Amino acid sequence: MQTPLLVTDSVDGFHTWSAHEPWWTETVWFGAWIPEAATTVYFYNWFRPVLGIYGGGCLVWDRSAYLPWDIPVYRYEVNAPITAQVDLRDMRLPCGTWLRSVEPGLVYDMGYSAPGVELEMRFSGILPAEETSTKGTSEFFAGHIDQPGHYSGTLTLDGRRHRIDCHGIRDRSWGPRILGDDIRLGYCHGQSADFAFLAYSRPGGEREPVFKGYVMHEGRKADVSSGHRRVCYHGGELRWIEVELEDALGRRFEIRGRPINRFCYLPYANLVTWLFLMEWEGPTGVIYGEEQDAWSTALWRNRREIPA
């Protein structure tokens, strides 16, 4: 029996799934920052239509805490039942999430409301939404979009109002999400009005190979053709990341970043994810973005170093 999700097979809608794929997962994620307060704001929901459940919600953290039960906002549903029709183009969920597509594939309004937290913001893409390949990431999705843009809005915590005005990224994914015991993935990015980059990597060793990503510079976007990262941990804490990229246009870039907050949680069972708000120094100066460091729980238990 299929759940009442409105399928449009589009950037902004649910995609056709098979009743024989219980792990088919659709996600919608927007991530914004307030750099001067070292604060990250997550708007994230996932859906498993064959099982008839959804999860996610709103997360807010800063440098004061890094565990789910300590951060300022951890409103994260798990396995909530889908009981009414959901249209990603104009969505309201019982958990307090709402999302509206203002200009398909480009502009979105969204918000979250619960005791002690009110979020309202707009994402405006600075590049069109383009589907990326599943190279190296087939265990996570069959289709995926990474889109840089600008966020504006407000976050109110316990009556105190914070302004959101930053460049960031959003993503959409769909497909079977089967998380085994050998997941290890790095995902770092940064954005401004005139420069943005994204790099997928396989952590491990002194030089981590970058196997997918893009660079936007001087109005031109191109896929990453080669690259690597160097990641420095000391005393169990991330200290810095250096990224070297070459794109399909032959341009070369060196980017160095440092974390200004951190957070760790399990977005799904068997997936430990460390999230860092990063201050990057690139060809156009200081920009902000993230480092996402994902581990299967089996690999995390057997780690020899990296965060503790």
Side-chain angles (χ1 to χ4, degrees), residues 65-127:
Y66 70 93
L67 295 174
W69 45 86
D70 289 332
I71 66 173
V73 178
Y74 186 73
R75 295 278 183 168
Y76 196 86
E77 297 288 335
V78 177
N79 300 341
I82 301 171
T83 58
Q85 186 178 74
V86 181
D87 181 353
L88 279 182
R89 300 168 300 178
D90 190 1
M91 176 179 76
R92 286 190 178 271
L93 298 175
C95 68
T97 291
W98 63 268
L99 172 67
R100 183 170 59 253
S101 174
V102 178
E103 188 174 339
L106 201 64
V107 181
Y108 303 87
D109 286 341
M110 71 208 71
Y112 184 85
S113 180
V117 56
E118 295 286 341
L119 172 67
E120 290 192 7
M121 61 183 182
R122 168 168 285 195
F123 174 87
S124 301
I126 55 178
L127 290 173

Side-chain angles (χ1 to χ4, degrees), residues 259-270:
I260 58 176
N261 75 23
R262 61 176 179 153
F263 174 59
C264 183
Y265 81 130
L266 276 73
Y268 304 90
N270 203 36

Side-chain angles (χ1 to χ4, degrees), residues 33 35 167-169 186-192 195-199 201 208 228-231 238-245 254-260 276-292:
W33 359 102
H167 283 86
I169 197 172
Y187 175 90
C188 68
H189 58 83
Q191 299 80 30
S192 69
F195 177 71
F197 78 95
L198 170 71
S201 65
E208 301 177 3
H228 67 270
R229 308 191 326 164
R230 294 179 60 234
V231 182
L238 176 64
R239 295 303 176 91
W240 51 260
I241 300 176
E242 292 178 344
V243 186
E244 294 187 22
L245 302 173
E254 295 183 0
I255 307 127
R256 183 182 173 98
R258 67 178 185 92
I260 58 176
F276 303 89
L277 175 56
M278 299 292 293
E279 182 180 83
W280 300 102
E281 183 73 33
T284 59
V286 173
I287 64 174
Y288 293 90
E290 282 189 302
E291 158 74 346
Q292 299 187 12

Side-chain angles (χ1 to χ4, degrees), residues 25-57:
T25 305
E26 300 253 358
T27 72
V28 55
W29 172 78
F30 295 84
W33 359 102
I34 308 173
E36 61 273 19
T39 296
T40 299
V41 180
Y42 262 30
F43 176 99
Y44 179 57
N45 280 102
W46 53 263
F47 301 84
R48 284 189 164 156
V50 177
L51 301 179
I53 58 176
Y54 78 93

